[in-house]
Amino acid sequence: MSTIFIPKHIHPTYSNTVFNDCLLFHDMTPHELDRLENYAEQSKCEEGEYLFRQDTPADFVYNVISGSVAIERIFTNGRRQIIGFLFPGDFIGLTHSPNYDCAVRCLTKVEFYKFSRKRLNTLSEEVGHLKQNMEQIKSAIFSRVMEQLYVLGQKKALERLCFLFMQLLERLPGARADRVELYMSRQDMADYLGLTIETVSRCLAKLKSDGLVAFPKLNHLQILNLPAVSELAEC
Amino acid sequence: MSTIFIPKHIHPTYSNTVFNDCLLFHDMTPHELDRLENYAEQSKCEEGEYLFRQDTPADFVYNVISGSVAIERIFTNGRRQIIGFLFPGDFIGLTHSPNYDCAVRCLTKVEFYKFSRKRLNTLSEEVGHLKQNMEQIKSAIFSRVMEQLYVLGQKKALERLCFLFMQLLERLPGARADRVELYMSRQDMADYLGLTIETVSRCLAKLKSDGLVAFPKLNHLQILNLPAVSELAEC
DNA sequence: GAAAAATATTGATAAATATCAAAAACAGAG
DNA sequence: CTCTGTTTTTGATATTTATCAATATTTTTC
């Protein structure tokens, strides 16, 4: 598996124990959660910084507490493709390879928990739920990447953007149709969707003039006509 | 994880035990291989038939002995995206989800080994190598899918075709630059590369007229200028 | 082996997107 | 608040790819 962990995630409540409600730690007993908590180290990273770089030792697994990151893959010719965006609750780094095969860049200030991958693996041998949950997360991630293949292979620019919007609406904790915060730049959107920044900009203009969306602020998206945007995204 | 298993694979020699040299069964003792052999059931499937369909119970893992298959994913609107092609030595069906998330269609007559997924999982608990190898295969597959994201997101039609050719050259057992058998139709190539059949056809014509490739027969590709094709594929 | 069916190629044109260039909007520093 | 640098938008045009239609080739059937 890879470094990317993008589970379909219901926003965790970190109230009691830091891991409650989090998909990876679902169904675990209080005792098990306590043990896990001992393994976690909380830390943070500033906007623009990298959590880790491609081809460096994959020693840690991360769980995003707050903020957003972009998963980037650099290719031989130096160009990059953004593989996905991750948000609070999402996991990063559950790869099997010795090195990370992607880089992770912070789009905002990011708070996260950091686990030793080795320890997490050891623990997963002992705690049945943990292991099963890890597998489930991987399944979900792979499923999402396959959907993205379809998006890049078959959809038009406008549809790709709507797809991104729907994805953000579903995955950003606290997002509502009238308030979706876009943490990434237009260039990031372009690199994610396989478009140029100009095409992204023009599609946004079109969606605006058609009354499907509005931008009270540059990075604050309002979806005015959800059925229409959803329809374009599915198509 | 998903149903797709596309290990970077050195053609297995099925001479002594059927599993020798096969990535999944690498480093296993003769005793372990014997045990595994008991779990395998050999079978075959005709061209055009499906090994399995999307959203059906994922009860078996397959290992291709001979022939080629296409991994297809059908989306809500009924359109399909080909996720990848599999060849001798490749594994299919090592998903974690209860159902397959892709369909597998035979491009040719296909011979394969069939394992009960449950049994394979049980065995992987006991045989360290097996489990590790399974993880490694998944890593490789995921890595490949990410590369494909880049291909669909960034490359032009001509480059995508060259990418496919290089992939076939590397992965088809026995393929050489002057003899790459294309088991898929032009439509399959198009659905894999996110193009139309006409664009595929025109790109082939261009590559031919530029002297980079030749087609002694419709599905028999000769790469005449390997550096040039490789260059286009990387780019 | 000839006819029919399926698949692939080619042509003309339209649509979508990229490219290059300039203007506008925005964000941060002082 | 104003200046400066960056990001975004818009405009004009070129390139790429899709679409629709016709022809050619290959495969299948009898």
Side-chain angles (χ1 to χ4, degrees):
Chain A
M1 268 308 289
S2 154
T3 71
I4 306 177
F5 288 82
I6 326 172
K8 169 100 180 169
H9 175 80
I10 289 108
H11 189 37
T13 53
Y14 293 102
S15 45
N16 271 343
T17 164
V18 291
F19 305 123
N20 263 345
D21 257 17
C22 228
L23 193 55
L24 184 55
F25 308 117
H26 210 247
D27 282 337
M28 290 174 67
T29 67
H31 173 68
E32 288 165 350
L33 286 171
D34 277 351
R35 251 191 97 181
L36 207 52
E37 202 162 1
N38 291 332
Y39 286 176
E41 175 194 329
Q42 188 169 341
S43 182
K44 64 186 162 198
C45 210
E46 294 304 316
E47 179 183 339
E49 289 181 354
Y50 278 78
L51 231 62
F52 53 75
R53 302 274 184 167
Q54 193 171 326
D55 299 322
T56 59
D59 294 334
F60 298 99
V61 172
Y62 301 83
N63 179 224
V64 179
I65 299 170
S66 70
S68 304
V69 306
I71 313 292
E72 302 181 338
R73 187 133 193 229
I74 308 292
F75 290 85
T76 38
N77 56 7
R79 292 194 66 179
R80 75 168 185 175
Q81 170 76 33
I82 291 183
I83 306 292
F85 300 107
L86 298 184
F87 308 110
D90 289 338
F91 283 90
I92 318 169
L94 272 166
T95 179
H96 180 263
S97 9
N99 294 316
Y100 294 118
D101 46 16
C102 298
V104 172
R105 176 170 51 90
C106 298
L107 297 171
T108 63
K109 177 178 171 183
V110 173
E111 295 177 292
F112 54 86
Y113 291 112
K114 186 175 173 177
F115 302 88
S116 154
R117 185 160 72 107
K118 206 158 41 172
R119 280 189 184 174
L120 205 57
N121 281 336
T122 310
L123 198 65
S124 82
E125 290 307 312
E126 304 164 30
V127 181
H129 284 134
L130 181 56
K131 187 173 164 184
Q132 201 172 335
N133 293 344
M134 278 168 79
E135 290 299 318
Q136 230 157 43
I137 290 177
K138 292 181 191 181
S139 270
I141 292 159
F142 202 82
S143 192
R144 184 176 301 156
V145 172
M146 284 197 293
E147 189 173 17
Q148 208 186 328
L149 272 185
Y150 173 70
V151 169
L152 295 185
Q154 314 276 345
K155 283 191 203 295
K156 296 202 188 310
L158 211 68
E159 298 163 348
R160 295 187 203 184
L161 264 168
C162 289
F163 168 80
L164 171 60
F165 293 163
M166 291 306 294
Q167 218 181 27
L168 292 175
L169 178 60
E170 284 167 18
R171 294 185 47 220
L172 268 171
R176 299 179 342 196
D178 66 340
R179 179 153 204 97
V180 180
E181 205 63 34
L182 306 172
Y183 295 107
M184 70 284 300
S185 70
R186 302 294 192 259
Q187 185 64 61
D188 289 335
M189 294 186 205
D191 287 350
Y192 176 60
L193 298 174
L195 302 168
T196 61
I197 185 174
E198 293 96 333
T199 299
V200 167
S201 204
R202 268 182 257 271
C203 287
L204 294 181
K206 170 103 175 90
L207 289 171
K208 271 190 284 189
S209 77
D210 289 356
L212 299 199
V213 304
F215 289 92
K217 293 191 69 176
L218 198 57
N219 278 337
H220 172 187
L221 163 71
Q222 279 186 327
I223 303 178
L224 301 177
N225 187 340
L226 188 58
V229 171
S230 170
E231 166 81 21
L232 276 167
E234 302 299 325
C235 159
Chain B
M1 269 307 287
S2 153
T3 72
I4 307 179
F5 287 82
I6 326 173
K8 168 101 180 170
H9 174 80
I10 291 108
H11 189 38
T13 53
Y14 294 102
S15 46
N16 271 343
T17 162
V18 289
F19 305 123
N20 262 346
D21 258 17
C22 229
L23 193 54
L24 184 55
F25 308 116
H26 209 247
D27 282 337
M28 291 174 66
T29 67
H31 172 67
E32 288 165 350
L33 286 171
D34 276 351
R35 251 189 97 183
L36 206 52
E37 202 164 1
N38 291 331
Y39 286 178
E41 175 194 329
Q42 188 170 342
S43 183
K44 65 187 162 196
C45 212
E46 294 304 316
E47 179 184 339
E49 289 181 355
Y50 279 78
L51 232 61
F52 53 77
R53 301 275 184 166
Q54 193 171 325
D55 299 322
T56 59
D59 295 332
F60 298 99
V61 173
Y62 301 83
N63 179 224
V64 179
I65 299 169
S66 70
S68 304
V69 306
I71 313 292
E72 301 180 339
R73 189 136 191 227
I74 307 293
F75 290 85
T76 37
N77 56 7
R79 292 194 66 179
R80 75 168 186 176
Q81 171 76 33
I82 291 183
I83 306 292
F85 300 107
L86 298 184
F87 308 110
D90 290 337
F91 282 90
I92 318 169
L94 273 165
T95 179
H96 181 263
S97 8
N99 293 317
Y100 295 117
D101 46 16
C102 298
V104 172
R105 176 170 51 89
C106 298
L107 297 171
T108 63
K109 178 180 171 181
V110 173
E111 295 177 292
F112 55 85
Y113 291 111
K114 187 174 173 178
F115 302 88
S116 153
R117 185 160 72 109
K118 206 158 42 171
R119 280 190 182 174
L120 206 57
N121 281 337
T122 309
L123 198 65
S124 83
E125 289 308 312
E126 303 165 29
V127 181
H129 284 133
L130 180 57
K131 187 173 167 181
Q132 201 172 335
N133 292 345
M134 277 168 78
E135 289 301 319
Q136 231 157 43
I137 290 176
K138 291 180 190 182
S139 270
I141 293 160
F142 202 82
S143 192
R144 183 175 301 156
V145 172
M146 284 197 292
E147 189 174 17
Q148 208 187 329
L149 273 185
Y150 174 69
V151 169
L152 295 185
Q154 314 275 347
K155 283 190 202 296
K156 294 201 190 310
L158 210 68
E159 298 164 350
R160 294 188 203 184
L161 264 168
C162 289
F163 168 80
L164 171 60
F165 292 162
M166 292 306 294
Q167 218 181 28
L168 292 175
L169 179 59
E170 284 167 18
R171 295 186 46 221
L172 267 172
R176 298 178 343 195
D178 66 339
R179 179 155 204 96
V180 181
E181 205 64 34
L182 306 171
Y183 295 107
M184 71 284 297
S185 70
R186 301 296 192 259
Q187 185 65 60
D188 289 335
M189 295 186 205
D191 287 349
Y192 176 59
L193 298 173
L195 301 169
T196 60
I197 185 174
E198 294 96 331
T199 299
V200 167
S201 206
R202 267 182 259 271
C203 287
L204 294 181
K206 170 105 175 85
L207 289 171
K208 270 190 284 188
S209 76
D210 289 355
L212 299 199
V213 305
F215 288 92
K217 292 192 69 177
L218 197 57
N219 278 338
H220 171 187
L221 163 71
Q222 279 185 327
I223 303 178
L224 301 177
N225 187 341
L226 187 58
V229 171
S230 170
E231 166 82 21
L232 276 167
E234 302 300 324
C235 157

